Amino acid sequence: MNLLGTASKSVVLQLAKQVKFVLHLTTMATYEQVKDVPNHPEVYLIDVRRKDELQQTGSIPASLNIPLDELDKALSCDGASFKNKYGRSKPGKESRIIFTCRSGKRASEAEQIAKNQGYCNVVLYKGSWIEWAQKEGLKA
C-alpha cells in the first residue's frame, strides 16, 4: 500500500536533502573542542597537510599528520600497518575524528574520504591552522 503519492515522495526527498545539508553544516569542530583534544585520547585530530607545511608552521597539539594524498590508503590499511606508520592505533569506524589542514578546504575533502570508507563520527575543524595560529598568537 502506497501512502505517499509521487508528489509527496518528492517533497519528502527534498526535505531529506535539506536536513542532510543542515546536519552537514553542524558537523564542525570549534577551536575550543580542538584545544581540548589532548584531554581526550579517544579523539583523533588528523592534520592532512603535507609534511613540509608542518615543518614551516608547526602543528596543533595532539594532532596526527596523515597527508591528504595518503588518507584513503591509510584509513583502509590494517591496524598494524597504520600503527607502524603513524605511531597510533587505527581509528575504528565509530571513533571521533576531527580533520584539520591550513584553511579547511582539504579537511573537508578528508571528511568525505573518511565518510566514503564508512567512518561515521567525523567532523572538520573549519578554522584549521589559520584560526588556530591566530587564537594561539602563532605565525599562520
Side-chain angles (χ1 to χ4, degrees), residues 21-77:
F21 178 72
V22 170
L23 290 176
H24 179 74
L25 289 177
T26 62
T27 59
M28 297 199 193
T30 64
Y31 164 79
E32 291 76 17
Q33 290 168 325
V34 170
K35 190 166 180 75
D36 198 37
V37 166
N39 297 319
H40 297 277
E42 73 282 3
V43 175
Y44 289 77
L45 177 61
I46 299 178
D47 190 327
V48 296
R49 293 181 291 162
R50 296 182 321 271
K51 292 185 187 323
D52 63 304
E53 289 179 88
L54 295 180
Q55 291 170 348
Q56 292 173 3
T57 62
S59 60
I60 298 172
S63 65
L64 175 65
N65 179 230
I66 305 176
L68 185 62
D69 63 354
E70 293 178 20
L71 185 65
D72 194 40
K73 184 177 179 182
L75 293 178
S76 62
C77 75

Side-chain angles (χ1 to χ4, degrees), residues 8-18:
S8 295
K9 283 183 183 177
S10 176
V11 170
V12 169
L13 289 174
Q14 287 178 350
L15 286 172
K17 286 179 184 177
Q18 289 177 356

Side-chain angles (χ1 to χ4, degrees), residues 58-116:
S59 60
I60 298 172
S63 65
L64 175 65
N65 179 230
I66 305 176
L68 185 62
D69 63 354
E70 293 178 20
L71 185 65
D72 194 40
K73 184 177 179 182
L75 293 178
S76 62
C77 75
D78 65 84
S81 297
F82 186 95
K83 186 166 188 170
N84 186 47
K85 181 155 184 159
Y86 301 106
R88 184 169 178 190
S89 61
K90 182 180 172 185
K93 299 287 185 180
E94 303 287 326
S95 297
R96 175 74 158 179
I97 302 173
I98 301 171
F99 287 109
T100 185
C101 61
R102 182 183 162 278
S103 65
K105 185 175 188 282
R106 285 174 285 178
S108 181
E109 292 177 49
E111 178 189 29
Q112 277 311 123
I113 290 169
K115 284 181 176 180
N116 289 343

Side-chain angles (χ1 to χ4, degrees), residues 115-133:
K115 284 181 176 180
N116 289 343
Q117 286 204 26
Y119 289 85
C120 59
N121 194 7
V122 298
V123 297
L124 65 108
Y125 175 32
K126 183 75 173 163
S128 284
W129 178 257
I130 291 175
E131 179 183 63
W132 178 267

